[in-house]
Amino acid sequence: MSATHIAVDIGASSGRLLVGTLQDHKIDLQEVYRFDNAMIHRSGHLCWDVDELFAEIKKGIHICREKGIKPKTIGVDTWAVDYVLLDEEDQPIGPVVAYRDSRTEGIMEKVAETLSKDDIYRRTGIQFQPFNTIYQLAALKESNPEMMEKARSFLMVPDYLHYLLTGKKVNEYTNATSTQLLNAYSKKWDDALLEYLGISPDLFEEMVLPGTSLGGLRPELVQEFGCDLEVIVPATHDTASAVAAIPEAKETIYLSSGTWSLLGVENAEPICDEKAQAYNFTNEGGVDYRFRFLKNIMGFWMIQEVKRLYGDMYSFDELVQASKKVKAPSLIDVDQNRFLNPVNMIEEIQAACMENNQAVPVRSGEVAACVFHSLVKSYQAAILQIEEMNGRTFDQVNIIGGGAQNEYVNQLLANVTGKLVVSGPVEATAIGNLLVQMRATGHINTLADARKLVAASFPLKKFNPQKGEVPNG
C-alpha cells in the first residue's frame, strides 16, 4: 500500500480535506472534514478570513489523527487571483480583499489608457477580467500606496497557507499565471509590466512548479499534531488541479463546473493572437507547463445566489425540477459584469430580461430555467470559438467538479452541441491535487497514467445528444 496524502481544497463557498491512498491500481478517496468559507466585510471591503481558513486546515489535520489516519504529505489549492502582502517582519498588510469587491471598478479601463490591452494580452495571454490581480494591485497602489510601500512579499492565497504550514515563501506557477503579470512565453514574472505598474520584481518569490516539496511542517505544528507532514505544492489554482484529473485519455473539451464555469482545452503552446483576445480567452498555466486555453463563464454562482434569496423555500433539486417545466425560458448574457456581485441576483436577472425585451421570469422555475439555459448557451458559444481557434472539432465534453451533478444541464449541453457529454469526477480538484502529490512521491509516473487511474477509480456518466429542450433564440 502506498502512502496516504491530504488534499486541502478550498473554494469560494466551502473547503474540504480529503485523504487519498493508491491501492489495487485505484484511488481510495475519503472526505475527512468540510467547512464553510464566505466573504466577510472588513475595513469597508469584501474580504477573506485566511487565518480562519488556516485554523480549519489545522482542525482537519487533527481529525485525521483522531481517526487514526497517518498521512505522509499535504497540499493546498484554492481559487485564483487573490493574494496576501507581507511586510518585512512577514506579517500580513491589511485585510485579504476578495475578488468580488468593488475596489477594482474602472481600474482595468484606467490601466488601458496608458498600457494597451493588446500589449498586455500578447505578453500574458490572460483573459481580461476586472478582478485580475494586476488590477487589484493597481487599485491598492492608487487607494493605499503606503501599503504597497510596506510590502516585501507577495503570496497568492494558497502560497500563504503553505507558508503558514512550513515557513517557506514561494509562488506556485499555475496560480501565478492568473495574475496577468506572468509572461506566457518565458513563464516568469514580466518585469516590463511590473515596471510600468511601479511594482518591484523583488516583491515576488521563487517560482515553483506543481510537485515541488517544501519539506516538513513548522516545528510548533509538528508538536501540535504529534507528527510531521511533507508539504508538496500541488497545482494550487483549483482549476489547474481539476483539469489534471480529467479522466478521458483522448482529447476533449473540458468544463470545470462549480461557482465558476471554466470551459476550454489543453494546449502545448499559448494562443495570444487578436482573435483569442477578441473572444476573451485565457491561457492559464497547467501541470507540466500545459496551457489551459479556456473561457471563464459566470457559472453556478448565479443559481447559488438565487437559492440564497429564496431561503429555505426551495432546494437545488426543486429548482431544477421546476425549470424543466418551463417551455421557452428567457435568455440573458451571463458573462456581463452585472452578475458578478449584484445586490439582488433575481432582480438583476429580471432587469436584464426586461432590457432585452425578453419575458420577465417571475416564478422560481422561470428564474432557474433562465440561468440554466443561458449558461448552456454561453457554453455552446465558447465551444464553437474553441473549435474555430484550434482548427478542429471535438467529439465530447468532460464536465468535472460539483456542477457535474446537475444532470439537467449536462443533458441540455449534449442536446445543444450534439456532442457526447461525460460527467465526473465530482471531486476533480481534490483528486488532481492528490495526483500531483502521488507523482511527486513516485507512486505515479506520468499525467497520462494519472488520468487512466481516475477513469478506473471513479464513476462517470455519459449523456448522449437527444431531441429535447434547447435554449431558444
Side-chain angles (χ1 to χ4, degrees):
M1 182 183 294
S2 68
T4 298
H5 314 269
I6 297 177
V8 181
D9 172 30
I10 306 177
S13 58
S14 67
R16 60 209 63 83
L17 273 76
L18 294 97
V19 295
T21 306
L22 182 58
Q23 52 185 355
D24 299 326
H25 307 292
K26 290 186 177 181
I27 300 172
D28 179 59
L29 187 67
Q30 175 187 355
E31 182 179 299
V32 175
Y33 180 56
R34 182 176 288 261
F35 54 90
D36 292 333
N37 182 31
M39 294 175 289
I40 59 175
H41 289 275
R42 181 173 290 173
S43 303
H45 295 284
L46 284 174
C47 301
W48 302 109
D49 191 340
V50 291
D51 293 327
E52 178 61 24
L53 292 179
F54 185 62
E56 296 285 11
I57 292 173
K58 292 200 297 180
K59 184 175 180 180
I61 296 173
H62 280 296
I63 291 173
C64 283
R65 299 290 292 166
E66 292 167 5
K67 290 179 175 288
I69 300 169
K70 299 179 179 179
K72 297 297 184 183
T73 70
I74 187 171
V76 182
D77 67 75
T78 76
W79 65 96
V81 305
D82 290 337
Y83 61 89
V84 181
L85 293 178
L86 302 181
D87 62 19
E88 60 185 8
E89 296 180 352
D90 290 332
Q91 295 301 307
I93 301 171
V96 181
V97 180
Y99 63 88
R100 292 192 192 274
D101 186 73
S102 61
R103 68 172 174 169
T104 56
E105 288 182 4
I107 297 296
M108 184 168 67
E109 293 74 17
K110 188 173 294 187
V111 169
E113 290 175 1
T114 47
L115 183 63
S116 76
K117 282 189 171 183
D118 292 346
D119 189 35
I120 294 174
Y121 193 81
R122 280 195 302 267
R123 302 176 80 91
T124 69
I126 296 299
Q127 177 183 13
F128 288 95
Q129 298 276 20
F131 49 72
N132 286 352
T133 317
I134 183 175
Y135 307 117
Q136 292 198 43
L137 289 172
L140 181 65
K141 194 170 181 12
E142 180 180 278
S143 62
N144 299 93
E146 73 285 354
M147 295 175 68
M148 289 296 295
E149 291 172 3
K150 289 175 60 178
R152 295 294 179 270
S153 295
F154 168 94
L155 299 175
M156 306 292 282
V157 169
D159 297 334
Y160 179 64
L161 295 171
H162 284 140
Y163 165 71
L164 293 178
L165 286 169
T166 66
K168 295 181 180 178
K169 294 182 289 185
V170 297
N171 293 142
E172 187 275 324
Y173 167 71
T174 66
N175 217 338
T177 63
S178 75
T179 63
Q180 209 169 26
L181 290 167
L182 207 74
N183 189 287
Y185 299 96
S186 71
K187 301 177 178 67
K188 297 179 180 179
W189 298 111
D190 194 305
D191 289 347
L193 285 179
L194 294 173
E195 181 180 355
Y196 168 78
L197 293 168
I199 299 173
S200 171
D202 295 337
L203 189 64
F204 300 90
E205 304 299 327
E206 174 191 1
M207 189 75 66
V208 300
L209 296 177
T212 299
S213 174
L214 299 183
L217 300 173
R218 292 174 183 260
E220 60 269 28
L221 293 178
V222 174
Q223 183 175 5
E224 177 180 344
F225 300 135
C227 70
D228 200 358
L229 290 171
E230 181 183 6
V231 178
I232 295 177
V233 178
T236 64
H237 187 327
D238 52 9
T239 308
S241 274
V243 170
I246 294 173
E248 291 293 320
K250 67 178 182 178
E251 291 186 350
T252 180
I253 290 174
Y254 62 80
L255 172 56
S256 180
S257 180
T259 301
W260 287 92
S261 293
L262 298 309
L263 190 148
V265 292
E266 277 191 321
N267 287 334
E269 300 293 335
I271 302 176
C272 303
D273 59 23
E274 292 180 2
K275 184 166 287 187
Q277 180 182 344
Y279 286 154
N280 208 20
F281 270 75
T282 201
N283 295 269
E284 293 174 346
V287 174
D288 293 345
Y289 279 135
R290 295 168 185 240
F291 285 91
R292 293 177 289 115
F293 183 68
L294 61 87
K295 177 163 281 190
N296 203 342
I297 298 169
M298 197 64 71
F300 284 155
W301 153 256
M302 296 181 68
I303 199 66
Q304 290 167 356
E305 277 295 284
V306 167
K307 181 184 180 302
R308 182 184 67 81
L309 291 168
Y310 282 132
D312 296 328
M313 293 175 63
Y314 308 103
S315 66
F316 282 117
D317 183 62
E318 287 171 334
L319 289 174
V320 169
Q321 296 307 316
S323 70
K324 291 181 180 180
K325 300 175 183 178
V326 181
K327 298 303 180 184
S330 297
L331 295 176
I332 55 177
D333 179 2
V334 296
D335 297 313
Q336 291 180 309
N337 287 335
R338 67 192 297 171
F339 300 117
L340 185 62
N341 192 28
V343 174
N344 185 301
M345 183 67 76
I346 295 173
E347 292 178 357
E348 200 69 37
I349 290 169
Q350 292 169 335
C353 290
M354 186 179 300
E355 292 165 14
N356 290 287
N357 298 315
Q358 299 255 355
V360 176
V362 177
R363 295 185 176 90
S364 61
E366 294 169 342
V367 175
C370 177
V371 172
F372 293 141
H373 283 252
S374 297
L375 282 173
V376 169
K377 183 178 181 182
S378 184
Y379 298 160
Q380 179 191 27
I383 288 170
L384 293 174
Q385 292 168 348
I386 286 171
E387 292 181 332
E388 176 187 348
M389 286 181 287
N390 282 271
R392 56 166 297 191
T393 58
F394 294 82
D395 295 328
Q396 73 174 48
V397 179
N398 265 103
I399 304 181
I400 52 180
Q405 298 173 97
N406 191 319
E407 296 188 1
Y408 177 57
V409 169
N410 298 350
Q411 188 63 61
L412 276 179
L413 184 60
N415 296 350
V416 169
T417 62
K419 301 181 188 299
L420 173 67
V421 171
V422 180
S423 69
V426 172
E427 294 288 1
T429 302
I431 294 166
N433 181 325
L434 291 167
L435 291 173
V436 168
Q437 294 185 55
M438 290 175 180
R439 194 170 73 161
T441 54
H443 296 102
I444 298 174
N445 293 322
T446 67
L447 185 59
D449 291 339
R451 286 175 168 166
K452 291 177 182 177
L453 189 61
V454 173
S457 302
F458 301 100
L460 308 175
K461 188 164 185 176
K462 295 182 178 181
F463 299 81
N464 290 293
Q466 300 173 358
K467 290 183 179 180
E469 292 178 284
V470 300
N472 59 9

